[in-house]
Amino acid sequence: EVQLVESGGGMVQSGGSLRLSCAAYGFPFIRSSMSWIRQAPGKDIEWVSGINSVGGQITYADSVKGRFTISRDNANKMLYLDLNDLQTEDTAMYYCVKGYGPYVPGMTRGQGTQVTVSA
């Protein structure tokens, strides 16, 4: 069974940092591009960052560029997102997604991990 399990979310003050993790099961992670997306209450899903299968191609949304860093550990089938200089507008549920690029319904994603940033 294909499964993605996110963790690492929490509540932080503006300017703080978090590391999100995503464990992958049931598919050849080493051959899969991966992404992070987020969704704030009442807003559309926003693609945050993507990384190709070997980590040689990485892109970020303009809203997080310079503050977030995506990475992966293929040996342990893990995807990460380091969130630095968090702002209140980063408050959202964060999901890891199998695939690269904007989220399309039907793409495999996890249950999400909540990030809440207070002023």
Side-chain angles (χ1 to χ4, degrees), residues 39-117:
Q39 187 167 28
K43 295 189 176 181
D44 292 335
I45 289 175
E46 179 185 14
W47 174 83
V48 174
S49 181
I51 185 169
N52 72 349
S53 60
V54 296
Q57 180 181 355
I58 291 173
T59 50
Y60 298 97
D62 288 343
S63 58
V64 306
K65 199 172 295 182
R67 300 187 299 120
F68 292 7
T69 303
I70 192 171
S71 60
R72 63 190 296 159
D73 177 353
N74 284 346
N76 291 298
K77 301 182 180 180
M78 294 293 296
L79 179 72
Y80 301 102
L81 186 68
D82 290 305
L83 291 65
N84 295 304
D85 190 23
L86 282 161
Q87 305 299 313
T88 55
E89 54 265 35
D90 295 316
T91 294
M93 186 72 81
Y94 285 72
Y95 303 88
C96 65
V97 175
K98 181 176 177 292
Y100 202 121
Y103 178 75
V104 176
M107 292 174 73
T108 299
R109 70 177 190 182
Q111 84 290 345
T113 187
Q114 178 69 39
V115 172
T116 303
V117 184

